[in-house]
Amino acid sequence: MLSPDEILAVIEDGGFRSTASRRRLADVLTSHEEGFTAEELVAETPGVGRATVYRTIRLLVEQELLCKLSLPDGTPRYTLAQRGHHHHVVCQNCGSVREFRQSAMERMLKELESSDGDVVTGHRIEVFVVCAECLVRGVVPTNVHQH
Amino acid sequence: MLSPDEILAVIEDGGFRSTASRRRLADVLTSHEEGFTAEELVAETPGVGRATVYRTIRLLVEQELLCKLSLPDGTPRYTLAQRGHHHHVVCQNCGSVREFRQSAMERMLKELESSDGDVVTGHRIEVFVVCAECLVRGVVPTNVHQH
DNA sequence: AGCATAATCGATACTTAGTATCATTTGATG
DNA sequence: CATCAAATGATACTAAGTATCGATTATGCT
């Protein structure tokens, strides 16, 4: 997993400053095993302003150190980035996040490229689950109709 | 494509009432070829309250007559539902929406099912493009880093 | 070490997208 | 055509994030 120092290194390599707030956030960030919300970060870094938390999140998403994803209803969650291209498996109940890779799927999406006059610039794939932990706690999986 | 009457029929079949506001919205909805925002609908149906517009959108998404999707930055858009399971190709510049189907991809996602103790309840796939129309208008495609 | 200054900060006000409340209106049914 | 739950519009609120701005601070320079 990513360490606070690695996060700070990417920030500095990007030409941004290594500040007290960013160090605090890097620490809190790396302590999260699962997905988290922006407001959780705000609550966990007292003294660091809301605006700074959101600014730092935006910076880290741009630097591809954080992934922004969303639950079926659209509420946002963040998770520390994994190495390389990947997608997310999100528990719709507790919001925990795992990753998956499937290169066959990537290839398929690339084939769309020529379908129309459009230029493909990216894609988003999220798989929704009820995770094993939620299942043992008695959560009943109900299908979500997403596209 | 979907007609206002078809929308009203689904509403009534669902046990909901056919009201003046819903008829107005059904008309406006079906006049949209491309994707649209909730606030566009609010602006296009003067006299119908904001709350009613959002309530009706929610109803129609539940009835699977509308699809809710989002641009790379997360801002939401809606589009009239196509028949059967499908996914969306969204222009990141103008927000226009096309659909695509790829049954091989569906099959692949189903295979994930057994990977962990999780139960898969759904998935979301969006492909981002700069569409042909935007390209001729000089929009330069830049890759978005999504997952 | 001291300084200049652009980057960053926190506080605060604002925006966007949507939900909750509630008194009033309305459409389906008998 | 009376009933009454469903639906409505006005309004206040929430969630997630952005813009503004005066104060602070990290970094490069000497």
Side-chain angles (χ1 to χ4, degrees):
Chain A
M1 258 293 182
L2 228 38
S3 74
D5 283 351
E6 287 173 303
I7 293 177
L8 265 298
V10 171
I11 287 175
E12 290 184 50
D13 292 356
F16 303 100
R17 290 182 179 171
S18 173
T19 69
S21 297
R22 286 172 179 167
R23 279 188 292 274
R24 303 266 316 278
L25 281 164
D27 286 344
V28 171
L29 237 26
T30 51
S31 74
H32 276 274
E33 292 294 309
E34 314 270 280
F36 50 87
T37 66
E39 289 302 324
E40 277 167 24
L41 288 190
V42 172
E44 289 163 8
T45 51
V48 179
R50 260 173 60 82
T52 298
V53 172
Y54 277 98
R55 279 189 285 243
T56 306
I57 287 175
R58 177 151 32 96
L59 176 63
L60 294 180
V61 170
E62 277 160 11
Q63 301 296 313
E64 297 186 67
L65 291 179
L66 282 185
C67 303
K68 179 175 183 174
L69 39 97
S70 55
L71 300 188
D73 67 355
T75 62
R77 298 194 85 73
Y78 298 91
T79 188
L80 277 179
Q82 321 291 137
R83 196 160 296 284
H85 193 70
H86 62 278
H87 301 292
H88 298 106
V89 179
V90 187
C91 176
Q92 57 172 291
N93 187 249
C94 70
S96 70
V97 179
R98 306 189 209 304
E99 68 168 313
F100 77 93
R101 288 151 214 260
Q102 204 122 358
S103 54
M105 197 149 51
E106 305 300 326
R107 256 180 276 120
M108 214 173 295
L109 287 166
K110 288 238 168 60
E111 282 166 27
L112 278 174
E113 190 93 28
S114 51
S115 65
D116 224 338
D118 307 339
V119 174
V120 176
T121 53
H123 59 257
R124 175 191 290 146
I125 301 181
E126 286 153 16
V127 175
F128 299 111
V129 300
V130 173
C131 73
E133 292 86 71
C134 285
L135 287 172
V136 300
R137 285 183 205 121
V139 176
V140 179
T142 55
N143 281 8
V144 294
H145 29 278
Q146 283 293 146
H147 309 275
Chain B
M1 258 292 181
L2 228 38
S3 73
D5 283 351
E6 287 173 304
I7 293 177
L8 265 298
V10 172
I11 286 175
E12 291 184 49
D13 291 355
F16 303 99
R17 290 183 179 170
S18 173
T19 68
S21 298
R22 285 172 180 167
R23 279 189 292 273
R24 303 265 317 277
L25 281 165
D27 287 343
V28 171
L29 237 25
T30 51
S31 73
H32 277 275
E33 292 293 309
E34 315 271 279
F36 50 88
T37 65
E39 290 300 325
E40 278 167 25
L41 288 190
V42 173
E44 289 163 8
T45 50
V48 179
R50 259 174 60 81
T52 298
V53 172
Y54 278 98
R55 278 189 285 242
T56 305
I57 287 174
R58 177 151 32 94
L59 177 63
L60 295 179
V61 169
E62 277 160 11
Q63 300 297 313
E64 297 186 67
L65 291 180
L66 281 184
C67 302
K68 179 176 184 173
L69 40 98
S70 54
L71 300 189
D73 68 354
T75 61
R77 297 194 85 73
Y78 297 90
T79 189
L80 276 178
Q82 321 291 134
R83 195 161 295 284
H85 193 70
H86 63 279
H87 301 293
H88 298 106
V89 178
V90 187
C91 176
Q92 58 171 291
N93 187 249
C94 70
S96 71
V97 179
R98 306 189 208 307
E99 67 168 314
F100 77 94
R101 286 152 214 262
Q102 203 121 2
S103 55
M105 197 148 52
E106 304 300 326
R107 255 180 276 119
M108 215 173 295
L109 286 166
K110 289 239 168 60
E111 282 166 27
L112 277 173
E113 189 93 25
S114 52
S115 66
D116 224 339
D118 307 340
V119 174
V120 175
T121 52
H123 59 257
R124 175 191 290 146
I125 300 181
E126 285 152 17
V127 175
F128 299 111
V129 299
V130 173
C131 72
E133 292 86 71
C134 285
L135 286 172
V136 301
R137 285 183 205 123
V139 176
V140 178
T142 55
N143 281 8
V144 294
H145 29 275
Q146 284 292 145
H147 308 275

